[in-house]
Amino acid sequence: MSEQSLPQSTAERADPLVLEREIARLIVQGLNLPNAPEQIDPESPLYGEGLGLDSIDILEIALIVSKQYGVVLRADDQENEHIFRSLRHFARYVAAHRSK
Amino acid sequence: MKPESLPLFTHEGPDAIVAWRDHRPIDARRFLADVHELSQRLPAGRHVLNLCIDRYRFTVGFAASLVAGKCSLLPPAQAPEVIRQLHAFAPDAFCLTDDADCTIELPLLFYRDGVADIGGDDWVVPRIDPAQLAAYIFTSGSTGAPVPHRKTWGRLVRCVQFEAAQLAPLRRRGCAILGTVPPQHMYGFESTVMLPLQSGAALGAARPFFPADIAAELDRLPRPRVLITTPVHLRSLVAADIALPAVDLIVSATAMLPAALAREVEHRYAVPLLEIYGSTETGEIAARRTALEEQWRLWPEVRLEIIEGRCWAQGGHVEQATALADEIELRGPDRFVLHGRTADLVNIAGKRSSLSYLNHQLNGIPGVIDGAFFVREDEHNSVAGVSRLAALVVAPGLDAAQILTQLRDRIDPVFLPRPLLQVESLPRNETGKLPRQMLHALVAQAAVREPHLFA
């Protein structure tokens, strides 16, 4: 059995950087972005400038995180303003609201 | 004889509900006061770029502009280049916005909520000359410059009167209309602004985005309620597997709705789904129940005629005879079938087809969730002078060989995609369309990643 196929430990699951990288990979795969996941600057905006995602991409990301982590995004969420401010903010939001 | 003027809205009296925002109704008395207050505050320019995001504010802005004899400008995008071109088109234009961070480079007028004095008991609904120029709606145009389309008040009203007759829930009192489409787009403008104004229905001020928002906003509106949306939003609702509160009618437009998706939506949410056909040039002209029927029913008085292979629409609310961009087969005076876009005609090795037809075949394969053919414009397609097609396909349960086998049964082999790229989703924009540059970027990426596919 290879190391990668082992279930994630609780410590790994709680590591914000691991989650951040995992989300970057899901976004790149899900949206077919030209970037490599590790090329995404965790501090630059996801929407508009920065990574250059549009609203339909955001809709796709919402589907991805709801399937993967059970996080349901809402446009009228008070925190929404900074959820998409960067990959790091987004990962923190997912970590705080994930149900799986 | 001067044609009779038409009322700004048809709600029955000052207490009728014109809009809902956050569970709270906005009655016609408040609406009219807001319209008069804003109309007196509008600057001198005769052209109003109305970018209000909130649908109620947009509607007040549009109505105030009408009352003040001004023309609304509704652009396809807000990129600085588009705004510069609008400015060249109408140098006196100013921008009405409800976004405090608006950076549009035009004189700005900020919308202010709740400033109008409700005033006394006098109740006079403004009437507008049907010949008054109400709006220029722009399409992006093939050369890059936005192309203006004139819309007079009378034609706009006529069109949504026809639409209202198709939407059964509107016959009941107090119907509410929720839209996921922006009011600046022709379909959103007709179905979420003009339609409620002219049918006495109430519009939802919100523009829900995520599937959970759509469900929550619907839940906030009284029944009967109608959802005005697009294939993109419907696909995302279905994919999110989210429960939707009871809804009385769903309307879809902007891109061809696959019959399988229409059936799934009808089944899952126990609701009729009406698909509307139209264009920015003509406005809405036909509808069909996509889950049940192939044929479209034309709006009354609109006529279609095939002249030298192109289909022309005229009559009814259509301002002037207009060539449609789709291949249409007439099936009677008010019935037709769509066979795809004329603009999408492809000719490969002397054989003709259309991208829409090919897309239709691709999307008809069991297991294909979404798919699109397109003409490759990169270096690879010019070998032997033959432009080949490529296709992007979302079909998680199928491999490329299985999809190609199915396609071979359905289309001429010259049209088989080279390559067929499997992706997790298509880069559709807000209105469900696929920008060409996005498709080509995806192909270029794939060519680097999987060069063997491009041999």
Side-chain angles (χ1 to χ4, degrees):
Chain A
M1 203 179 198
S2 77
E3 226 178 274
Q4 276 127 2
S5 63
L6 288 170
Q8 282 190 328
S9 70
T10 314
E12 262 183 311
R13 189 179 152 150
D15 184 343
L17 286 178
V18 170
L19 182 64
E20 195 175 286
R21 278 196 293 272
E22 185 175 277
I23 292 174
R25 191 168 47 76
L26 288 171
I27 290 177
V28 165
Q29 283 175 354
L31 304 180
N32 287 290
L33 296 180
N35 322 49
E38 55 275 15
Q39 284 177 321
I40 296 181
D41 177 358
E43 304 283 357
S44 75
L46 290 175
Y47 197 79
E49 293 163 47
L51 199 50
L53 303 186
D54 64 19
S55 61
I56 296 300
D57 293 327
I58 299 294
L59 214 45
E60 293 291 348
I61 291 176
L63 283 178
I64 291 169
V65 297
S66 88
K67 287 208 159 76
Q68 191 79 18
Y69 306 111
V71 174
V72 177
L73 292 173
R74 294 281 303 271
D76 57 1
D77 195 314
Q78 296 292 324
E79 296 171 82
N80 233 5
E81 180 79 8
H82 65 250
I83 292 176
F84 293 107
R85 190 175 290 167
S86 68
L87 175 63
R88 187 148 294 158
H89 280 93
F90 186 59
R92 278 189 201 141
Y93 181 85
V94 170
H97 293 83
R98 67 189 293 178
S99 64
K100 58 183 177 187
Chain B
M1 197 179 73
K2 201 174 164 178
E4 206 182 324
S5 65
L6 298 165
L8 179 61
F9 57 93
T10 61
H11 297 68
E12 274 175 7
D15 296 324
I17 297 166
V18 170
W20 289 91
R21 184 197 274 145
D22 300 335
H23 271 302
R24 284 191 294 278
I26 299 173
D27 64 22
R29 184 185 291 106
R30 155 62 60 192
F31 175 62
L32 200 50
D34 285 341
V35 168
H36 284 309
E37 189 276 332
L38 181 60
S39 74
Q40 283 154 23
R41 211 152 49 82
L42 294 175
R46 292 183 53 82
H47 296 90
V48 188
L49 175 63
N50 185 343
L51 294 187
C52 288
I53 299 163
D54 176 287
R55 207 176 303 273
Y56 174 72
R57 295 176 191 144
F58 175 91
T59 306
V60 171
F62 171 65
S65 304
L66 269 178
V67 167
K70 298 180 193 294
C71 172
S72 293
L73 304 179
L74 308 179
Q78 297 174 21
E81 184 55 26
V82 172
I83 300 302
R84 271 192 290 279
Q85 285 159 336
L86 283 189
H87 180 66
F89 173 80
D92 66 351
F94 60 91
C95 173
L96 176 68
T97 177
D98 58 353
D99 176 6
D101 300 323
C102 180
T103 55
I104 295 291
E105 292 188 2
L106 287 178
L108 297 181
L109 176 65
F110 285 97
Y111 189 97
R112 295 194 307 235
D113 274 317
V115 293
D117 184 1
I118 296 292
D121 287 335
D122 49 329
W123 173 252
V124 182
V125 176
R127 300 184 71 89
I128 310 292
D129 180 348
Q132 183 177 326
L133 179 59
Y136 279 110
I137 305 190
F138 293 82
T139 47
S140 33
S142 49
T143 58
V147 179
H149 303 281
R150 295 178 91 245
K151 301 293 169 185
T152 58
W153 174 244
R155 305 278 177 161
L156 286 172
V157 169
R158 195 80 165 280
C159 179
V160 296
Q161 284 173 342
F162 293 144
E163 183 185 8
Q166 303 278 334
L167 274 52
L170 291 180
R171 286 176 219 134
R172 289 150 64 190
R173 280 177 73 99
C175 182
I177 295 179
L178 181 68
T180 63
V181 283
Q184 287 86 0
H185 180 271
M186 187 62 182
Y187 166 54
F189 178 62
E190 289 182 308
S191 294
T192 69
V193 177
M194 284 300 298
L195 180 68
L197 285 179
Q198 293 298 315
S199 67
L203 61 90
R207 186 182 150 201
F209 179 66
F210 296 117
D213 299 328
I214 298 174
E217 285 299 333
L218 266 181
D219 202 35
R220 289 174 160 187
L221 296 173
R223 291 184 70 182
R225 49 198 174 202
V226 175
L227 177 64
I228 305 289
T229 189
T230 74
V232 170
H233 291 96
L234 289 174
R235 219 177 263 121
S236 93
L237 267 177
V238 168
D241 201 15
I242 201 165
L244 212 56
V247 53
D248 298 277
L249 178 69
I250 295 179
V251 178
S252 174
T254 68
M256 190 94 95
L257 178 69
L261 179 60
R263 285 192 290 269
E264 167 138 34
V265 168
E266 287 213 357
H267 175 72
R268 192 181 276 232
Y269 306 121
V271 59
L273 169 55
L274 196 72
E275 185 179 8
I276 287 185
Y277 175 73
S279 65
T280 302
E281 290 86 340
T282 59
E284 300 169 341
I285 61 169
R288 66 172 178 174
R289 181 93 177 265
T290 311
L292 306 179
E293 57 192 354
E294 184 191 21
Q295 292 189 25
W296 296 83
R297 297 181 304 277
L298 268 178
W299 277 192
E301 299 172 34
V302 177
R303 282 166 293 126
L304 297 182
E305 192 181 357
I306 311 281
I307 301 169
E308 293 175 359
R310 290 295 298 271
C311 185
W312 291 72
Q314 59 184 316
H317 67 280
V318 180
E319 207 104 353
Q320 57 188 7
T322 305
L324 301 176
D326 296 279
E327 273 197 77
I328 283 173
E329 180 190 337
L330 301 182
R331 294 270 179 93
D334 61 350
R335 293 279 196 282
F336 67 89
V337 174
L338 271 182
H339 288 302
R341 283 181 95 68
T342 310
D344 286 352
L345 282 179
V346 287
N347 186 334
I348 295 177
K351 295 191 172 173
R352 289 182 67 179
S353 187
S354 79
L355 294 177
S356 296
Y357 175 79
L358 297 170
N359 290 340
H360 187 67
Q361 296 300 326
L362 178 59
N363 284 284
I365 295 172
V368 170
I369 293 167
D370 198 358
F373 276 87
F374 55 102
V375 181
R376 286 175 60 192
E377 284 174 350
D378 51 336
E379 295 293 328
H380 303 272
N381 69 353
S382 53
V383 183
V386 176
S387 359
R388 289 292 182 180
L389 299 176
L392 295 172
V393 184
V394 183
L398 298 175
D399 62 30
Q402 289 171 314
I403 299 169
L404 285 169
T405 304
Q406 290 272 337
L407 271 178
R408 275 191 200 96
D409 289 338
R410 294 161 187 252
I411 64 175
D412 190 288
V414 299
F415 299 117
L416 286 175
R418 301 181 182 186
L420 182 149
L421 298 172
Q422 288 193 269
V423 292
E424 287 188 13
S425 67
L426 296 188
R428 293 189 184 275
N429 67 15
E430 278 180 59
T431 54
K433 298 193 167 76
L434 290 164
R436 293 182 67 81
Q437 62 268 37
M438 298 288 288
L439 291 177
H440 293 297
L442 276 179
V443 173
Q445 287 162 33
V448 174
R449 200 173 59 234
E450 300 176 272
H452 59 282
L453 289 172
F454 291 80

